[in-house]
Amino acid sequence: MKNKRNHPEFLFQIQAAVLLLPRLCYALPVYRFIPITRTFLIIVACAGSLMWPATSSAQQVCRNINVGYSYYPPFSYQDANGLVKGASVEVAKRAFNQMKVDVTLVQMPWARLLREAQDGSIDFIAAAYRTPDRLAWATYSDVPIGYERIVVIHDSHTRFDEPTLNDLRRKKGLLRRGDSHGPEVDQAIAKNILTVDEIPEIEVGLRMLDAGRADYLLTSDAVARDMLRQHLYPDLSFSRVKVAGEALYALFSQQSPCVALADQFNQTIRNLHRQDLMPTLLVQYLKSVGSPLVVELASQSPTQDLGN
């Protein structure tokens, strides 16, 4: 914690002392000589109890945290045995394990996951891009979980040689509902420079591309490599888009009491990084599909300084 006085255990001790004050005062022999009224002591005790919910609730509720994820391999997915795996999921599990917080993993479509996190039904999302809209309801980790380049998946017979956004403007694109791929892409979509239809999940987009119902699908490098290496769509390939890459962050819902754990989570991620556990986890998943990997502390490598 940056400020020891904000630590839950410290506040818990203060609250306990305040609530015990009336008993202590009555027990002291000197109490009969001090003009402390019963009413005053009740007021003090009540004041202490008012401080109780903010920290006690967070402590108790956040001993178990709902970690939301969507199907987004290799960051988060279920394997053939139904086990939840992925780079961002493993990072979250390891961090909360060190924090002595039990994790409940919850899978749902990405757009719904964002809505559930916005209203506090989901406490934490394992990995997401940082956007201005989400900053209104989310508290992001200040350490990137990973870094990704933006690509387009397309028919391998169509020429896409590192396209610019301008090269894509007369083509029909697809984007997973709720996805963001940085300010350049987001603004191009908002200004209708790109014609993009939303799809519920990446798999739906791959089927549409394979059937010739769209020209390209915007996604991240690691996702494209992982999805296409399964060889279910041999006629599809991907090309890097000439836009800045984006860092991925974990986020807490500001409507969840678990947001009180944000500072501790940040420190834990830094500790994992120093112990070389973070890079090991991410290399295991992202390097396995040949995807570029950048994991840097925010203070050492700000998002805007990350090379594409």
Side-chain angles (χ1 to χ4, degrees):
M1 291 288 182
K2 295 180 180 179
N3 187 346
K4 184 178 179 182
R5 294 183 180 179
N6 290 331
H7 195 286
E9 293 184 2
F10 177 81
L11 294 175
F12 180 87
Q13 294 170 359
I14 294 297
Q15 292 161 357
V18 171
L19 294 175
L20 286 174
L21 183 59
R23 292 186 184 181
L24 292 173
C25 290
Y26 280 121
L28 291 173
V30 73
Y31 168 70
R32 71 189 65 178
F33 302 108
I34 301 177
I36 301 179
T37 68
R38 186 183 302 269
T39 301
F40 172 75
L41 293 175
I42 291 174
I43 292 173
V44 171
C46 289
S49 67
L50 289 176
M51 294 189 295
W52 186 274
T55 55
S56 177
S57 175
Q59 278 187 307
Q60 293 177 16
V61 173
C62 289
R63 290 306 90 195
N64 185 290
I65 187 167
N66 289 326
V67 173
Y69 73 98
S70 66
Y71 182 72
Y72 203 62
F75 295 101
S76 53
Y77 62 97
Q78 287 187 352
D79 66 12
N81 298 317
L83 299 176
V84 182
K85 294 187 176 182
S88 59
V89 170
E90 291 300 321
V91 168
K93 286 166 61 177
R94 181 159 297 192
F96 287 122
N97 180 61
Q98 290 209 2
M99 294 165 61
K100 309 299 182 186
V101 176
D102 294 329
V103 171
T104 300
L105 295 169
V106 182
Q107 181 184 16
M108 60 183 66
W110 181 243
R112 179 186 168 193
L113 182 60
L114 292 174
R115 292 195 301 270
E116 296 274 344
Q118 187 170 359
D119 67 23
S121 299
I122 291 293
D123 304 311
F124 179 91
I125 294 179
Y129 295 118
R130 181 180 288 173
T131 70
D133 288 345
R134 294 174 192 169
L135 285 171
W137 55 265
T139 295
Y140 284 87
S141 61
D142 58 14
V143 179
I145 298 299
Y147 173 79
E148 268 301 282
R149 293 170 173 171
I150 311 306
V151 304
V152 287
I153 300 177
H154 55 86
D155 188 302
S156 58
H157 300 101
T158 303
R159 184 176 178 83
F160 275 87
D161 187 15
E162 291 198 29
T164 64
L165 294 179
N166 191 56
D167 294 331
L168 300 174
R169 66 185 306 163
R170 292 181 178 86
K171 301 182 182 298
K172 181 179 180 180
L174 301 173
L175 179 74
R176 186 178 66 159
R177 188 174 296 118
D179 265 357
S180 168
H181 291 297
E184 290 179 80
V185 175
D186 292 351
Q187 289 173 18
I189 294 173
K191 294 178 180 179
N192 295 318
I193 295 173
L194 298 182
T195 303
V196 173
D197 291 338
E198 293 187 333
I199 52 174
E201 291 294 345
I202 299 294
E203 180 67 29
V204 175
L206 295 180
R207 291 199 297 267
M208 291 179 65
L209 288 174
D210 198 49
R213 295 167 55 196
D215 297 313
Y216 68 88
L217 166 65
L218 278 164
T219 188
S220 71
D221 175 271
V223 171
R225 290 176 186 269
D226 189 89
M227 298 289 277
L228 296 184
R229 73 170 178 166
Q230 300 174 30
H231 305 297
L232 298 177
Y233 301 95
D235 292 330
L236 299 182
S237 60
F238 68 92
S239 302
R240 176 181 170 186
V241 181
K242 288 185 178 180
V243 295
E246 282 293 298
L248 284 167
Y249 298 84
L251 69 80
F252 288 86
S253 167
Q254 293 179 4
Q255 295 301 313
S256 165
C258 292
V259 71
L261 298 176
D263 285 345
Q264 186 182 357
F265 179 83
N266 289 330
Q267 187 57 53
T268 302
I269 291 296
R270 288 191 176 89
N271 291 339
L272 289 173
H273 193 283
R274 295 188 187 101
Q275 297 165 19
D276 290 331
L277 297 179
M278 273 278 287
T280 299
L281 284 170
L282 290 167
V283 165
Q284 175 185 351
Y285 285 92
L286 302 186
K287 289 294 187 182
S288 68
V289 295
S291 180
L293 171 68
V294 175
V295 180
E296 293 290 347
L297 296 181
S299 59
Q300 296 176 352
S301 183
T303 304
Q304 63 268 25
D305 292 338
L306 293 173
N308 191 21

